[in-house]
Amino acid sequence: MYKLGKRSLNNLQGVNPNLVKVVERAIQISTQDFTVVEGKRSKEQCSINYGKGRTASECIKKGIDPKYARPNEKKVTWVSTPLASKHATGRAVDIYPYPINMKDSDPKKFEAIAAAMKQAAAELGVKINWGGNWQKTKDLPHFEVL
Ligand SMILES: [Zn+2]
């Protein structure tokens, strides 16, 4: 049985309490150890993320201060409404397999985490969505509470 590390606990601060309960239960039943790499995200962090890989005019279109534009960097987010991200309100977490490798995209590991999250959510009667089920761009580390 795994348990949440310091980094996960830090990143759960400010996150919706029901979602925190799901994560705390999921780590107990997961066959794959994991770390919460992001929870509640400030408006500034949303802007920084959105600015990566985008021009000033693309930022302005979405209400993002153009000072965050970093057109030469790699894009990290594809959200259509960056400031309305569920992370901004603490209703989402990003979870990676442990040990962490941000380039890890082994679907088996993420599916194992998702299975534990779904089971935990069902036990607790909390409704969650997994980014791995999204139709357009899958977001494997992303879980949000409805
Ligand atoms: Zn996310």
Side-chain angles (χ1 to χ4, degrees), residues 1-3 5 10 16-17 32 38 40 54 68 73 88-89 100 102 108 113 135 139-140 144:
M1 185 170 115
Y2 301 112
K3 56 182 215 156
N10 277 338
N16 174 277
Q32 168 67 52
E38 191 148 19
K40 188 169 164 60
R54 291 193 174 86
Y68 293 107
E73 288 183 25
T89 50
I100 298 181
M102 297 301 276
K108 281 204 189 89
I113 295 169
Q135 297 299 316
D139 191 352
L140 294 175
E144 57 184 45

Side-chain angles (χ1 to χ4, degrees), residues 67-119:
K67 76 178 180 191
Y68 293 107
R70 299 284 184 276
N72 298 324
E73 288 183 25
K74 233 180 113 189
K75 242 182 220 187
V76 297
T77 179
W78 287 264
V79 290
S80 56
T81 46
L83 294 180
S85 159
K86 290 250 179 176
H87 285 287
T89 50
R91 297 182 73 82
V93 287
D94 293 337
I95 298 176
Y96 274 80
Y98 181 85
I100 298 181
N101 168 7
M102 297 301 276
K103 287 183 195 128
D104 198 342
S105 55
D106 180 352
K108 281 204 189 89
K109 292 181 186 171
F110 285 97
E111 276 161 18
I113 295 169
M117 285 291 285
K118 281 178 203 164
Q119 189 189 321

